[in-house]
Amino acid sequence: MQQKFKPQLVPLQAEKDLKTLVENRSVYTMQHCELNVFETRQQSEKVKLVFDDMVLTTMLRGKKVMHLFGSEHFDYLPGESVIVPDKEEMIIDFPEADLLNPTQCIALAVEATMLKDTLNLLNEKYPKTEKQESWNIDISCFHLQNSLEITSAVNRLINISTENIAGKDVLVDFTLKELLIRLMQTQARKLILDSYNNYTATNRFASAVQYIKAHISEEITIDTLSNLCCMSKPTFFRCFKREFGISPVDFILHERIKIACTMLRDQNVTISEACYAVGINNLSYFFKLFKRIEGKTPNEFRKGLN
């Protein structure tokens, strides 16, 4: 179970400043992007929204039901982001919004030239390990749980965009490029995690992930993984982290805790059993690692299931 990292909340508009109870909008315009903050304080259905540029949306408060790509619809909750292509119509329901429980979401519209420049920089200076692959925003992987890195970049963009500071556009551009890179790394990680069996013939990291999944209860060494990928140990470590935004060691630890979370949902499984089943032989270390990754102890995690 992946932890949802929630961006900081933006102060709600004062009630006297609201123009409507549905989709009140505050706009902060920069040189290469536009930050929109939307607030809704009334249950509504089929609210339509379209942007001329690609948009990264992130939920801050409440709940939406998003309808995308004709028939696709899903619950949209805090700690999640959705990437929407330019000129794609979003149809949004607000099933729970009211004055005491407002819905708040940001939408960051990214100018096409900024996206193109970032992709060109990555593909030229830091190409993908597999020659047939290139950096790009994968619209098929449009609904993401925020990583800590995505959340941190979003928070900095909110702070810079909403404050009156010198060099705002330059700071926004640097942070925006970081956010785009973090998004692509998160997408690459999700794609390999969800479908690694489909890519073992074309992506050497898929073979590493397959091995990790199959041997999660055992000791897993970087030597073994780098040999599987036909790389030296330093090259494997560097390329893995560049493509997925996380070191192979941290990736293994996150996988261990994710499986432990699944096990702990079964009340018949003890915390010690979950610890040892995922290849961690020190219960004290398991507690510390679980708290670092999930933001709560195993006992607190279990209490939150009730």
Side-chain angles (χ1 to χ4, degrees):
M1 182 176 181
Q2 184 178 350
Q3 182 184 3
K4 293 183 179 180
F5 294 99
K6 301 177 184 179
Q8 66 188 29
L9 297 177
V10 177
L12 293 167
Q13 295 186 56
E15 190 169 344
K16 64 182 178 62
D17 296 329
L18 296 177
K19 298 180 177 61
T20 172
L21 294 178
V22 180
E23 286 296 79
N24 291 278
R25 179 182 184 184
S26 302
V27 182
Y28 304 89
T29 302
M30 276 69 65
Q31 186 174 1
H32 296 117
C33 66
E34 178 184 85
L35 177 67
N36 300 266
V37 182
F38 292 97
E39 291 178 18
T40 303
R41 304 194 187 192
Q42 179 177 293
Q43 292 184 18
S44 308
E45 292 184 348
K46 298 181 179 179
V47 177
K48 297 181 180 181
L49 187 61
V50 178
F51 286 88
D52 290 332
D53 295 306
M54 185 198 77
V55 176
L56 168 68
T57 71
T58 297
M59 279 294 290
L60 303 181
R61 310 172 192 253
K63 172 184 174 180
K64 292 183 180 182
V65 177
M66 292 279 284
H67 302 259
L68 278 176
F69 309 117
S71 60
E72 187 83 32
H73 70 276
F74 52 90
D75 289 348
Y76 190 16
L77 303 170
E80 301 176 352
S81 290
V82 170
I83 303 168
V84 184
D86 58 292
K87 298 180 174 58
E88 179 70 33
E89 183 177 64
M90 294 174 264
I91 301 177
I92 309 166
D93 302 333
F94 303 88
E96 300 175 357
D98 58 35
L99 290 173
L100 298 178
N101 182 36
T103 295
Q104 189 180 60
C105 177
I106 64 167
L108 183 70
V110 181
E111 191 179 272
T113 56
M114 169 58 77
L115 177 58
K116 182 179 178 181
D117 289 347
T118 305
L119 293 175
N120 287 342
L121 174 66
L122 284 174
N123 287 318
E124 180 181 349
K125 300 290 187 182
Y126 308 101
K128 289 264 196 172
T129 302
E130 306 300 347
K131 292 182 179 180
Q132 75 275 13
E133 296 181 2
S134 60
W135 290 101
N136 209 343
I137 296 290
D138 186 354
I139 297 301
S140 69
C141 183
F142 61 88
H143 186 195
L144 300 168
Q145 288 192 359
N146 293 338
S147 65
L148 177 60
E149 294 79 15
I150 288 176
T151 299
S152 297
V154 168
N155 285 344
R156 290 199 300 278
L157 271 174
I158 291 173
N159 288 334
I160 297 167
S161 302
T162 56
E163 292 179 359
N164 184 19
I165 56 177
K168 176 182 287 192
D169 284 326
V170 174
L171 293 173
V172 165
D173 283 356
F174 283 136
T175 310
L176 183 56
K177 285 184 177 180
E178 179 192 348
L179 176 58
L180 291 171
I181 293 169
R182 299 292 191 187
L183 279 174
M184 287 184 277
Q185 289 173 328
T186 301
Q187 285 186 321
R189 192 161 71 240
K190 185 177 189 304
L191 181 67
I192 291 296
L193 266 174
D194 291 349
S195 309
Y196 56 90
N197 286 325
N198 297 332
Y199 292 94
T200 52
T202 58
N203 187 303
R204 67 192 81 186
F205 293 130
S207 298
V209 171
Q210 185 181 55
Y211 182 89
I212 292 168
K213 291 279 192 179
H215 298 83
I216 198 67
S217 63
E218 306 166 19
E219 181 182 2
I220 301 171
T221 68
I222 300 302
D223 285 330
T224 300
L225 298 178
S226 60
N227 288 336
L228 271 174
C229 294
C230 302
M231 295 177 170
S232 69
K233 187 175 175 180
T235 299
F236 170 76
F237 203 96
R238 182 178 67 253
C239 291
F240 191 100
K241 187 169 185 179
R242 183 175 67 199
E243 295 210 10
F244 300 126
I246 187 172
S247 74
V249 173
D250 281 340
F251 181 88
I252 294 167
L253 293 177
H254 277 74
E255 283 301 293
R256 294 192 196 279
I257 296 303
K258 183 168 69 174
I259 293 171
C261 285
T262 300
M263 295 183 68
L264 290 174
R265 300 180 81 85
D266 182 349
Q267 296 295 329
N268 293 319
V269 176
T270 68
I271 293 175
S272 295
E273 288 172 338
C275 166
Y276 299 129
V278 298
I280 299 175
N281 299 319
N282 184 307
L283 191 59
S284 176
Y285 175 65
F286 176 75
F287 268 77
K288 291 178 181 177
L289 183 63
F290 197 102
K291 179 69 179 290
R292 176 168 70 83
I293 292 175
E294 287 298 317
K296 59 187 77 172
T297 67
N299 288 320
E300 292 168 341
F301 174 83
R302 273 204 155 146
K303 288 179 182 177
L305 298 176
N306 300 327

